[in-house]
Amino acid sequence: METTSQDESESDEQDQPLEAKPLRSLAPMLPLPMKYDVATQSTDPMLVFVTPFRPCTSPEPSAARQPLPKSPAPLRATPVSAAFPMPRPGAGGDPLEATPVSAAAPAFRMPRREDESSEEEYNPFFCGRKKPTRLKTAGKRTHQQAECSNARDMKRRPTQTSLSLNKELATFTPSSSSDPTESVQETLTMFDSLRRRILQLDENREDAAGKRADLKAGSLMMQNGLRINNLKTVGPVPGVEVGDIFFFRMEMCVVGLHAPAMAGIDYVSARRGGSGTDEVVAVSVVSSGGYENDDTDSDVLVYTGQGGSSRRRKDKHDQRLERGNLALMNSMERRSVVRVVRGAQDPFCRSSKIYVYDGLYRVEGSWTERARDGFSVFKYKLRREPGQRDGISVWKMAERWRADPVTRSHVVSADMSSSAEKLPVCLVNDADDDDEQRVPGRFNYVTGVEYEYPRPLGKTKPCKCPSVCLPSDDPDCSCARLNSGHLPYTACGLLVKRVPVLYECGPECRCSGNCRNRVAQKGVRLRFEVFWTGDACGWGVRSWDPIRAGAFVCEYAGQAVDVSTGGEEDEYAFCASGEGWRWWNLGAGLVEEASDGDAAENLEERLPVMISARRSGNVARFLNHSCSPNLLWQPVRYGDGGYPHVMFFAMRHVPPMAQLTYDYGTTRGAAPPGFQGKFPNACRLKPCFCGSTSCRGSF
DNA sequence: GGTGCATCAAACCA
DNA sequence: CTGGTTTGATGCAC
């Protein structure tokens, strides 16, 4: 298809969006551009009521984006519709052309709920035990749409959730993007921030009803029709790319990659060509190791059928050729493709699993065999379709490097931090063979910022929590109070939501080093590599480890420069004007206490310093810009003169080896009083190569 | 149309 | 720390 050549040329080398030049942001740091104070703008839930398809609350089309209407040149924005070279073009008379019923819709059907196109039908204030008032406007709906699970979703009994959550939900709009990749990102973000928020809220209630926040979040989204790609389709799911990772089954559910909450095989009933009888066809399988599937070859998967394995020994039985098992068998006969998701071990959490979408496979063969418990099971041999970008193989490669860094090739320097970081920072160049010895310009590797305290900021009150801070133990924890009464991280150290300034416990707090409110101060836990992206964007950063949304990534290290004395142009200065993170809060904490005194106060704390990573810095100085970034920056204070550290957190799940980026922001007009004119380049926009469909064209 | 059941995930506890 | 136990949401099947 028309666009494939472009696609390939890009995906071949570095997959993810190539980013623009190394650091180039020049405005000094300030906590938050006041005009866009999220806290005030989006806090009142009553004012945020929005009908679907009107992205008012959605940050994208905000004024901030407008000033850059036409970007003259180097926009390499790829139409994302091209991202899915539909697999079946030639595919040798794929019998599947006799499409499954519900897949009959064009494969590129937009996820958005067209079925909700009448506004009154969408009831964001659906709450509590009351059933949503669902109007029967079925006349408007096509047969297929009526068939989609939405109707049933809406009817389903809501799990008991706190009222405030329902209010928060009211602020959700179904993704308004026409770009499938964006809708998927938005939906996943919504899910995860909702999940973290439920964790945070449930934790304050001692009735211990707070279990399975993942299921609750998923359920809420289903009930409110916030799931996308409702129609099960054989083949790719728009917006989900091979290699994408998921941390919960529910995540795959809400983006339509794999609908069953638990079952490993998802299938759809399809009309058999001609004969008019229905039969089932598999659409996706999740191989998570529960059945001891053979995992050695990354292009071949031997998958065990479902059923038979009851918990109670006496209920065990042979597997039967029904449901998913039958569906896989039919898929084999029709030679239709099946999406495969492979489970992998989460390197940071032994008990949990990560799901890696590995693209399309075909069932090559099937047989039965006797399992260890003596009952017979179905086995299916699936082979990966050629020509797809790497999925699980990248994962496995990175896994190998993590276990044994020596196996990484094209290494220029095994640890460019010279042991300054706890984990080595690898410098590699596998992009150009001509110049393998290319190295970044000289700089000192440091892991933090040395402030000279020209003007110490006000001290914060240390907390007196005995061992670790827990909101339920001590509602008076002064650190929690600084953070609007909540601990800013989940129990496993994920940022719950972006705040103007985050307060971690400091050296004078009584709590121990294990306190949950000490995350970023503990430093990097990821194995980074700095790699050459090509001439356009220079060096970039990626990680061998998967990164979960909300996870701490790294600090922006460097030298504090007093701008009142300094003021020369500096390409490695950190600029705080980027707003790429704003949408991340869409799902989280929108009903925060409206007039948050802290937030207002923090805006006063503009610093007379900025951070320059020109002479000294860490990996962060190699982070590239993207208009749809995967990192956000978050000022974090703890002890130590009170200067906020600039900390990066992941805004979405980032698979291993995907480039890490943040939004440099547009510096034009953002330089606060006193800085204007000091940095001539600040107002000269650089062309952006991020390739995102929402690319602003420059930064 | 309601309801049961099959699925086996994730979190917790012993 | 592991392995068993518990509690589940969903969507097909009846």
Side-chain angles (χ1 to χ4, degrees), chain A residues 394-463:
Chain A
V394 177
W395 177 280
K396 291 194 165 167
M397 207 166 59
E399 209 167 44
R400 201 160 52 238
W401 298 339
R402 294 199 297 260
D404 185 7
V406 183
T407 55
R408 176 73 170 108
S409 54
H410 304 287
V411 170
V412 180
S413 158
D415 181 12
M416 64 189 301
S417 88
S418 312
S419 303
E421 300 278 11
K422 280 169 289 189
L423 295 165
V425 178
C426 198
L427 179 67
V428 300
N429 185 355
D430 48 11
D432 57 349
D433 298 330
D434 309 339
D435 192 3
E436 280 223 2
Q437 294 314 305
R438 186 198 299 273
V439 290
R442 284 191 88 74
F443 72 101
N444 282 328
Y445 199 102
V446 297
T447 57
V449 178
E450 291 152 39
Y451 288 107
E452 284 161 27
Y453 307 120
R455 178 172 69 99
L457 296 176
K459 279 203 164 186
T460 54
K461 193 169 136 207
C463 74

Side-chain angles (χ1 to χ4, degrees), chain A residues 121-132:
Chain A
E121 217 169 335
Y122 177 63
N123 180 1
F125 279 113
F126 164 49
C127 74
R129 304 166 299 284
K130 205 168 132 195
K131 288 189 180 181

Side-chain angles (χ1 to χ4, degrees), chain A residues 204-526:
Chain A
N204 287 330
R205 320 184 328 189
E206 66 293 320
D207 63 356
K211 279 186 177 174
R212 296 306 299 265
D214 57 321
L215 296 185
K216 283 185 188 170
S219 196
L220 275 169
M221 288 186 64
M222 304 284 193
Q223 288 154 22
N224 289 275
L226 295 166
R227 171 163 59 170
I228 58 172
N229 296 315
N230 284 328
L231 303 176
K232 290 187 184 182
T233 53
V234 172
V237 172
V240 179
E241 314 241 357
V242 176
D244 283 355
I245 59 175
F246 302 86
F247 286 74
F248 295 93
R249 290 287 296 254
M250 273 299 174
E251 289 179 332
M252 297 188 282
C253 198
V254 293
V255 298
L257 182 62
H258 185 82
M262 300 178 81
I265 307 172
D266 191 11
Y267 54 96
V268 68
S269 81
R271 196 156 300 267
R272 180 173 232 139
S275 78
T277 55
D278 277 2
E279 69 176 30
V280 289
V281 179
V283 296
S284 59
V285 299
V286 177
S287 164
S288 46
Y291 283 106
E292 285 179 22
N293 297 314
D294 185 358
D295 237 15
T296 46
D297 183 342
S298 56
D299 271 354
V300 172
L301 171 69
V302 175
Y303 191 80
T304 307
Q306 63 188 182
S309 61
S310 171
R311 226 184 318 287
R312 287 187 297 277
R313 214 160 296 279
K314 67 179 167 76
D315 287 347
K316 288 189 183 243
H317 58 84
D318 287 349
Q319 289 188 346
R320 290 188 275 266
L321 192 56
E322 57 186 18
R323 297 161 184 271
N325 297 344
L326 181 57
L328 277 173
M329 206 64 88
N330 290 334
S331 290
M332 177 174 72
E333 275 164 22
R334 294 171 166 242
R335 289 185 221 285
S336 93
V337 288
V338 178
R339 296 190 294 267
V340 168
V341 177
R342 308 183 101 160
Q345 185 55 237
D346 182 342
F348 295 112
C349 180
R350 186 163 326 167
S351 67
S352 88
K353 224 171 282 172
I354 294 177
Y355 301 94
V356 184
Y357 175 50
D358 198 32
L360 304 179
Y361 283 58
R362 262 179 234 273
V363 190
E364 263 186 6
S366 161
W367 64 96
T368 60
E369 65 183 50
R370 222 147 268 288
R372 271 199 309 242
D373 57 16
F375 293 99
S376 85
V377 294
F378 286 96
K379 291 282 183 179
Y380 301 89
K381 183 178 181 188
L382 292 92
R383 182 176 297 277
R384 193 164 193 267
E385 285 286 284
Q388 306 180 80
R389 66 201 288 181
D390 291 334
I392 194 71
S393 56
V394 177
W395 177 280
K396 291 194 165 167
M397 207 166 59
E399 209 167 44
R400 201 160 52 238
W401 298 339
R402 294 199 297 260
D404 185 7
V406 183
T407 55
R408 176 73 170 108
S409 54
H410 304 287
V411 170
V412 180
S413 158
D415 181 12
M416 64 189 301
S417 88
S418 312
S419 303
E421 300 278 11
K422 280 169 289 189
L423 295 165
V425 178
C426 198
L427 179 67
V428 300
N429 185 355
D430 48 11
D432 57 349
D433 298 330
D434 309 339
D435 192 3
E436 280 223 2
Q437 294 314 305
R438 186 198 299 273
V439 290
R442 284 191 88 74
F443 72 101
N444 282 328
Y445 199 102
V446 297
T447 57
V449 178
E450 291 152 39
Y451 288 107
E452 284 161 27
Y453 307 120
R455 178 172 69 99
L457 296 176
K459 279 203 164 186
T460 54
K461 193 169 136 207
C463 74
K464 301 198 179 86
C465 298
S467 69
V468 295
C469 298
L470 288 172
S472 48
D473 283 3
D474 180 9
D476 289 331
C477 166
S478 59
C479 292
R481 266 217 306 273
L482 285 168
N483 294 296
S484 318
H486 291 118
L487 290 183
Y489 300 112
T490 66
C492 53
L494 302 177
L495 181 67
V496 173
K497 63 169 198 167
R498 214 256 186 204
V499 290
V501 176
L502 188 155
Y503 295 85
E504 291 197 359
C505 291
E508 286 164 32
C509 293
R510 201 200 289 169
C511 59
S512 76
N514 292 332
C515 173
R516 190 216 290 192
N517 196 24
R518 302 171 187 272
V519 172
Q521 60 186 266
K522 290 186 175 168
V524 168
R525 297 177 58 209
L526 301 165

Side-chain angles (χ1 to χ4, degrees), chain A residues 643-664:
Chain A
Y643 281 100
H645 299 255
V646 175
M647 301 296 193
F648 290 101
F649 292 82
M651 281 200 288
R652 31 178 99 149
H653 305 324
V654 184
M657 301 300 283
Q659 185 172 192
L660 303 174
T661 56
Y662 72 100
D663 184 357
Y664 287 10

Side-chain angles (χ1 to χ4, degrees), chain A residues 564-600:
Chain A
S564 56
T565 63
E568 47 186 320
E569 179 183 339
D570 185 349
E571 302 219 326
Y572 289 95
F574 176 78
C575 159
S577 78
E579 292 200 306
W581 51 269
R582 290 193 71 239
W583 62 278
W584 198 61
N585 273 3
L586 268 183
L590 286 170
V591 285
E592 218 38 75
E593 303 70 47
S595 55
D596 189 327
D598 286 335

